[in-house]
Structure formats: structure tokens, C-alpha cells
Amino acid sequence: MRPPIAEMSILSGQPRGLDTTRVGYLITPATTPAHHDAYRRLRRATFVDDQKVFPGSDIDDIDDDPRTLVLVAVTPEGGVVGGVRIAPRHGWGLGDDDIGWWTGSRLVVDRSRHDTGIGPALVRAACAHASERGVLRFDATVARPHRRMFAHLGWQDVGVCEIGGRPHVRMRWDPRRIAHVAERTKSFLADALEPFRRQSGGLGPAGFTGDDGVPVPGSDIVAACDAILPSMVDRDPEWAGWCSVLVNLNDLAAMGATPTGLLDAVGATTRSQLTRIVRGMAGAARAWDVPVLGGHTQLGVPASLAVTALGTTSRPVPAGGAGVGEQIRLTVDVSGGWRPGYHGGQWDSTSTRSTVDLRTMNAMVRDLAPHAAKDVSMAGIAGTTGMLAEACGTGAEIDVAAVPRPGGVDMGSWLTCFPGFAMLTADPAGSAAPAGLPRDVVSTVCGRLTTTPGVRLRWPDGVTTTAVRAGVTGLGHA
């Protein structure tokens, strides 16, 4: 979407600091019956009386959906001079399931205000609200004369149709949420790691470039190393300690390795901070029954935390071992909830699991022995799917409606968050599912590897949209 000239307020759709008495309107969610009634009167006057697009009434099921959001343009005197509604897509067997596919409709502006910018402001506000709700696909069907306005606002023309005998254009807006997460977390890797790739032996053994863990040459040992963001260590030291163990054991699990021990490197500003970091690490090590063997600790320095995990396997599973046409399976723990302070970003299910559950989950890849596997990292489910596909030298397609997720969690957040325990595996179509998983750990085939680079989302109507346009890391085929 082309950025607006001024910073847009999500609540108003207007530039911050704008004098609304001069502009003549403020865009806001409809909060009173009077707002809704006035908006429907405007719709009737436009779509029924003037344009005769609908006979008798333009009211439909979307108006009765409690999830529908109406945005209205309100004058300083309280009059409604425009409005638009946005809602989850109806039909296609979705029922009440919101999979991140929304539509905007019934955009209307009082005929006396057509040249005051209300229409574009309503569209911008609708896009902002859709993004806030985790929407991944946002569609609208607009009268042909309005196509240019929508195109100017970053919408794509995807086809033509007729409504009420009048020509209309199908338009689509891409929030680019998945792409932004992938770019922010992984896109710099190829350039930054280039000196390592030029060294003798390259960046890991052949076939394992891009893996989070690495087989140690000449042994059955697999090592993984992950650091925690300093800001996270400062903000929530105990959770940072827990996660430093979690992410490293996930890396070993993705390679089918059995963990044997951990090494840590901890820096803390104060003794209190150090105590909380170590408490979190010790709690996680105890939960997984994996000992911390040693490491390095420093006090009176900026917060820092990195952990190395060691494990063993005679058959390490690579991230790049699958090929075009193979199915992608997501195995994920949907119990738990958002970590306080990280809503929409970090899901916590592991802190309430038993040792038996945690060890069973982490043995899943070892027991399944898939062609390829990767644990879901900070790039999220969609971004990590792109990393697996990149390592395989393929692209990937995700069937959005088939992705398992916790109840009440929007698809946009779920596909881009760190989900605690989640494994992506790739195998030939029809391969067996993992057995003996703990309760609320769900395993579902929800995608496939393709010849088209990047990651595409497949929707229930058969349409595919691009989530990631090319390789996520730039490291290429493993």
C-alpha cells in the first residue's frame, strides 16, 4: 500500500494533529445506534434510490454479523456524512471461522461531500483496522468509476463483475504482514553470513546450510546456538531464560537429535536480573530434564543471553531434504495462551507442560524421520515455511483454512508469531502422521512444496496470494 502523505491514526483515518473542524469530518468506528441508522440511510439513498443497484433494500447477512465493523465519517456537529463496513468473508463453508480473509463493502459518501476526501480516508481507515485485526487478504468489489481511487491507494485490480446490472471491479489490498515479519527477522542473513560461507567447509556440512542446528563433523553430535534479544532479557528476565532453553531444544528436535546438555553465556546488569535469568533457565532445564553443563556468567554489563544445546543422532534430519510436490505438515501445541506483554507475538504453551509431554513433543521428528524438518522460529509459521522451502530449493503453498490454531486467535498473528512448540515437516503425500502426541498437540497437512519460489497462501475459493515473494534468508538451496 502506498503510504499516506501524513501519519494516519488508526482510529480516525486522519493525519495526526489535523484540525477536524477545518477538514469537516472525523472517521471513527460507529458506536451508537444513531451512527448505524444514519449510515444505513446514506446507503439506501445511494445504492437503492439513486443507483438502483439493489431493489428495495441493500441490507444483507453482513449487517447481522456481530464481527462486522462500521466506520463512519462524522462532522463536528455529529452528522454522519460517509461510511464503510468491513467483516470476515462469508460463505465458502467458513461458517463463523475467521481465517484472515475479510471484505470491505458499502462504501458511501454523502452526495454533497464527494470532493472532500472522505472516500479515500474511509478506505485508508478500513485498511488500518483490517491490519489491526490480523487480516491477510482484504477484498472489495467497487463500481468501475472508483477503480482509479482504489488503485491510487495501493489496491490491485483482480477482475471484473456485475452487480445489479452495473459494471464493477474486484479489488484486493495486501497488508504484507507476513512479508514484513520475514524481512525484519531473516532477510539480512545471506549478506551478513557471506564471510562464513567463503571459509573452508562453508557454512556447515553439505545439505545443512540454513539449519538452526548443525551436525558436528566426524561425530554423531548436533549443536545449536541461539541468543535472546537484549530488550527481552531486560523486559522479562525469567521468560528470557526459559525461552533460551526452549528455542535451542526446538532446534535440536527439528534435526531429530536427543538433547544431552546445555551451555550458557549470560550477562546481567544487576544481581537481581541475573537471578531471574538463571531461575528461568533452570526451570526450563528441569522441565525438559536436560542439564546445564556450564558456561560463562558476567555481572555489571548490559543484558545478554545465549545458549548452546548439544544432542546426538546418527541420522540428522535436514531442512532441505524434500522436493517439489511433497506435503508440508504442521505439528503445533495449541494449548496455553499469549505470554503477558507479548500478545500477538509470543505464544506460551510449554511452561505448563509436564516433562513427559515436552520430551514426547521434542522426539516427534526423530520418530517420524521426515525428509525435511524445521522448527518454527521468530519468522512465524509462514516465514519458516519459506525458509524450509528455500533450503529445499522449492517454493511453498499454505492452505490457510487447514492451518491448526488455538480458538480466538486471529490468523495473521498466528502465522507470524513465535508459537512455542511448532514443527514443520515435509514428506511424500500420504505419509503417516506422528503418533502418541500429547493432548492439544495437533498435526495437520496444510501445504505443499511447489516450483514457484516464495510462499503463497491458498484460500477456500481457490485464489492464491503471495505471502513471501522470494527466498526468506537468501542462503538458497542447502
Side-chain angles (χ1 to χ4, degrees), residues 135-139 156 158 172-180 182-183 382-383 386 395-398 400 415 450 452-459 462-472:
V135 172
L136 299 172
R137 173 183 171 184
F138 194 29
D139 292 345
Q156 179 186 5
V158 294
R172 182 169 302 137
W173 180 70
D174 180 8
R176 297 200 73 243
R177 178 170 183 158
I178 292 171
H180 286 317
E183 290 164 5
E397 187 174 278
I398 298 173
V400 182
L415 288 183
T450 67
T452 305
V455 179
R456 297 182 67 80
L457 305 181
R458 177 167 290 278
W459 301 90
V463 168
T464 59
T465 57
T466 300
V468 180
R469 294 191 180 278
V472 176

Side-chain angles (χ1 to χ4, degrees), residues 348-370:
D348 175 24
S349 59
T350 56
S351 67
T352 57
R353 285 287 186 183
S354 68
T355 297
V356 171
D357 283 354
L358 294 172
R359 294 295 294 237
T360 299
M361 290 152 61
N362 278 36
M364 185 271 293
V365 173
R366 182 196 67 195
D367 296 342
L368 194 64

Side-chain angles (χ1 to χ4, degrees), residues 204-205 208 213-224 252 255 257 308-314 316:
F208 290 91
V214 61
V216 177
S219 75
D220 65 352
I221 298 173
V222 173
L252 293 183
M255 301 193 72
T308 297
L310 304 173
T312 58
T313 179
S314 59

